[in-house]
Amino acid sequence: MKTLSENACFGGTQGVYSHASATCNCEMTFAVFLPEEAKDGPVPVLWYLSGLTCTHENAMTKAGAQAWAAEHGIALVFPDTSPRGEDVADDEAYDLGKGAGFYVNATQDPWAPHFQMRDYIAEELPSLLAGNFAVDITRQAITGHSMGGHGALVLAMTLPGRFLSVSAFAPIANPSKSDWGRKQLGAYVGSNEKDWGKNDATVLMQEKGFDGPILIDQGAQDQFLDLLRPEALAAAIATRRQQAIFRMQPGYDHSYFFVSTFMEDHIAFHADALYAG
Amino acid sequence: MKTLSENACFGGTQGVYSHASATCNCEMTFAVFLPEEAKDGPVPVLWYLSGLTCTHENAMTKAGAQAWAAEHGIALVFPDTSPRGEDVADDEAYDLGKGAGFYVNATQDPWAPHFQMRDYIAEELPSLLAGNFAVDITRQAITGHSMGGHGALVLAMTLPGRFLSVSAFAPIANPSKSDWGRKQLGAYVGSNEKDWGKNDATVLMQEKGFDGPILIDQGAQDQFLDLLRPEALAAAIATRRQQAIFRMQPGYDHSYFFVSTFMEDHIAFHADALYAG
């Protein structure tokens, strides 16, 4: 693991690191915020999965999360959104290939050799974190924005017991019924739509739900509402009687101005779950 | 005035606007955050002047200021750092020309036709704001980072009665004795060093000071300490018995991770002055 940068931040440290990923078969970059409390021992950890076109950097610089993570003594992890490098397949579209890994394991060419983002986030990166940072891997929560909200919800529901809470900002809530999903799931996991459900938060909510609290914020003026399909997930939550708070926020769009506005609430929500034990 | 974007943000609106500047003789872009309270009437305003290479955008997205401005009901203004456009003179160096206006009025060629940033910030933009936004122009404060900290301190001391308080993050504190200043002041206002003092916070502090409170934060691990010369300004403040808080912050560097960490304190500091009347 290489340290690319470390900056003092809200009493703790905001670092950027890279490592040779065996899962994605390329060099991967990620960012970690450690609060001051991590100097004294392991702290709980909140994952933040970013959206289309993002790297580890966008939320690290624009989401305003460190202020609240420092207040609650929680570490933050900002992974990249796809494998990177000259050897890695890509597509001209912004929403397929690099910057658009959708947090799935690709089974199809040309994506399969590197696009193993689910296993990377679910297995390899947690091991790396546990071995190199003062994080308590028994107390994890997860959040994300847009494509990252999709990733957070899917990972939380398909890794029972892993995350104590899950939240999302304007998640891609029903990708198998959206142009933000059908193309990508087809490309990455193949054209058999039966394989898509395990990567679709609405389908997973219908089939299994989540054993813990959920918080979702969605801007009512989001320019991508048709692609996000929050109504499908909201209906599935209500039908299942899932413990959840779904907030439609008047006036807000899809930007980081929206994300940063509600970040304090999300981190307080996760802190409640992470410290409840 | 053109509206380039408006996003809901912390209950208010983060907007980006442009206008034909008569002072800079080019199209200028700036950003304004209006808190929710501005819907009911004029609110006090805090100027944030950015550092070298920045536009209106850097602090708008990375400083985390809107959260605290919203809490205190204060508007934020983020001007650009220089004139822009194909007709505007530039230099290959990052610290001269575009992105490096130093908030001075240039008297020398090729800079004089456009680089009138002091008058732009001191006269033209305030008039534009007063005419187009719900801001109370009788209650203004000013802050900035690095080159913008220099600009904030110089403007505050040379416009008596204009600003109720001034603060700075890692300001260029003594430009007439620094490589961040000598080159630029020489280029913009000429080689006669006697003309430089009115653009130097340390000299101004020695000669006149500020009729109000000052807050300065400086990272002790700032990679540019030799260029910033905080010791010169600190000495001048102490010698004058100027009302001021100067904080040397262990561990912090020159980045926005430093700025965002202490933004809450700076906005609370200005709120005290803006609401004292």
Side-chain angles (χ1 to χ4, degrees):
Chain A
M1 197 183 80
K2 283 182 282 194
T3 300
L4 303 184
S5 65
E6 288 187 331
N7 301 82
C9 183
F10 287 95
T13 302
Q14 178 61 62
V16 179
Y17 311 92
S18 73
H19 68 116
S21 165
T23 306
C24 290
N25 192 25
C26 65
E27 191 79 3
M28 293 291 286
T29 302
F30 63 97
V32 175
F33 170 74
L34 287 180
E36 191 167 20
E37 289 82 351
K39 293 170 186 163
D40 300 323
V43 296
V45 56
L46 173 62
W47 294 74
Y48 181 100
L49 305 186
S50 281
L52 287 165
T53 78
C54 289
T55 69
H56 66 282
E57 191 176 1
N58 303 64
M60 177 182 85
T61 56
K62 299 199 295 184
Q66 293 93 347
W68 314 115
E71 184 168 311
H72 292 286
I74 293 172
L76 300 169
V77 183
F78 304 99
D80 203 346
T81 59
S82 77
R84 305 280 177 180
E86 289 184 10
D87 297 341
V88 175
D90 201 5
D91 189 274
E92 288 184 3
Y94 75 96
D95 60 358
L96 186 66
K98 291 178 187 173
F102 267 75
Y103 306 101
V104 303
N105 292 335
T107 59
Q108 308 295 305
D109 286 331
W111 311 107
H114 298 284
F115 282 75
Q116 301 295 322
M117 286 301 292
R118 177 189 165 84
D119 282 357
Y120 176 69
I121 303 291
E123 309 301 339
E124 186 178 18
L125 193 49
S127 296
L128 190 75
L129 292 173
N132 291 276
F133 297 90
V135 295
D136 177 359
I137 218 72
T138 69
R139 288 187 291 164
Q140 296 186 66
I142 192 164
T143 186
H145 174 226
S146 196
M147 178 183 74
H150 145 76
L153 290 163
V154 167
L155 282 160
M157 285 189 272
T158 55
L159 292 168
R162 171 75 62 92
F163 299 105
L164 296 168
S165 50
V166 58
S167 76
F169 301 85
I172 299 177
N174 190 195
S176 60
K177 298 278 175 61
S178 166
D179 287 342
W180 272 355
R182 295 184 60 82
K183 176 174 76 170
Q184 294 84 355
L185 294 173
Y188 295 145
V189 305
S191 56
N192 187 343
E193 296 191 21
K194 288 185 182 168
D195 297 334
W196 295 2
K198 64 184 178 186
N199 291 303
D200 185 308
T202 294
V203 174
L204 289 166
M205 182 57 65
Q206 291 163 344
E207 293 182 353
K208 52 172 43 178
F210 176 65
D211 183 22
I214 299 176
L215 172 62
I216 296 171
D217 272 315
Q218 172 62 57
Q221 299 301 317
D222 194 311
Q223 57 269 52
F224 303 113
L225 274 169
D226 290 348
L227 293 162
L228 299 171
R229 294 181 52 78
E231 62 281 3
L233 180 57
I237 285 170
T239 300
R240 172 160 291 278
R241 291 32 169 166
Q242 166 72 47
Q243 177 186 359
I245 301 168
F246 181 97
R247 307 193 301 190
M248 185 61 71
Q249 302 284 7
Y252 287 89
D253 59 26
H254 200 66
S255 70
Y256 268 96
F257 297 113
F258 158 68
V259 172
S260 59
T261 295
F262 298 105
M263 185 57 74
E264 179 179 11
D265 292 353
H266 282 244
I267 293 185
F269 163 81
H270 290 294
D272 280 349
L274 291 166
Y275 287 111
Chain B
M1 196 182 78
K2 283 183 282 195
T3 300
L4 303 184
S5 65
E6 288 187 330
N7 301 83
C9 182
F10 288 95
T13 302
Q14 178 61 64
V16 179
Y17 311 91
S18 72
H19 67 117
S21 165
T23 306
C24 290
N25 193 25
C26 65
E27 191 80 3
M28 293 292 285
T29 302
F30 64 97
V32 174
F33 171 73
L34 287 181
E36 191 167 20
E37 288 82 351
K39 293 170 188 165
D40 300 323
V43 297
V45 56
L46 173 61
W47 294 74
Y48 182 102
L49 304 186
S50 281
L52 288 164
T53 77
C54 289
T55 68
H56 66 281
E57 191 177 2
N58 303 65
M60 177 183 84
T61 56
K62 298 199 297 185
Q66 293 92 346
W68 314 115
E71 184 168 312
H72 292 286
I74 294 171
L76 300 169
V77 183
F78 304 98
D80 203 346
T81 59
S82 77
R84 305 281 177 180
E86 290 184 9
D87 297 341
V88 175
D90 201 6
D91 188 275
E92 289 184 3
Y94 74 97
D95 59 0
L96 186 66
K98 291 178 187 171
F102 267 74
Y103 306 101
V104 304
N105 292 335
T107 59
Q108 308 295 303
D109 285 330
W111 311 109
H114 298 283
F115 282 74
Q116 301 295 324
M117 287 302 291
R118 177 189 165 83
D119 282 355
Y120 176 69
I121 303 291
E123 307 302 336
E124 187 177 19
L125 193 49
S127 296
L128 190 75
L129 292 173
N132 291 275
F133 298 90
V135 295
D136 177 359
I137 218 72
T138 69
R139 289 187 291 164
Q140 296 186 67
I142 191 164
T143 186
H145 174 224
S146 196
M147 177 182 75
H150 145 75
L153 290 163
V154 167
L155 283 160
M157 285 188 272
T158 56
L159 292 168
R162 172 75 62 92
F163 299 105
L164 296 169
S165 50
V166 57
S167 76
F169 301 85
I172 298 177
N174 190 196
S176 59
K177 297 280 175 60
S178 165
D179 287 342
W180 272 354
R182 294 184 61 81
K183 176 173 76 170
Q184 294 84 355
L185 294 173
Y188 295 143
V189 304
S191 56
N192 188 343
E193 295 191 22
K194 287 184 182 167
D195 297 333
W196 295 2
K198 64 185 177 186
N199 291 303
D200 186 308
T202 294
V203 174
L204 289 166
M205 182 57 65
Q206 291 163 342
E207 293 181 354
K208 51 171 49 176
F210 176 66
D211 184 23
I214 299 176
L215 171 63
I216 296 171
D217 273 314
Q218 172 62 58
Q221 299 300 315
D222 193 311
Q223 56 269 50
F224 303 114
L225 273 169
D226 290 349
L227 294 163
L228 299 170
R229 294 182 50 78
E231 62 281 2
L233 180 58
I237 285 171
T239 300
R240 173 161 291 278
R241 288 38 166 164
Q242 165 73 46
Q243 177 185 2
I245 301 168
F246 181 98
R247 308 193 301 190
M248 184 61 71
Q249 302 284 7
Y252 287 89
D253 59 26
H254 200 67
S255 70
Y256 268 96
F257 297 114
F258 157 69
V259 172
S260 59
T261 295
F262 299 105
M263 185 57 74
E264 179 180 11
D265 292 353
H266 282 245
I267 293 186
F269 163 81
H270 290 294
D272 279 350
L274 291 166
Y275 287 112

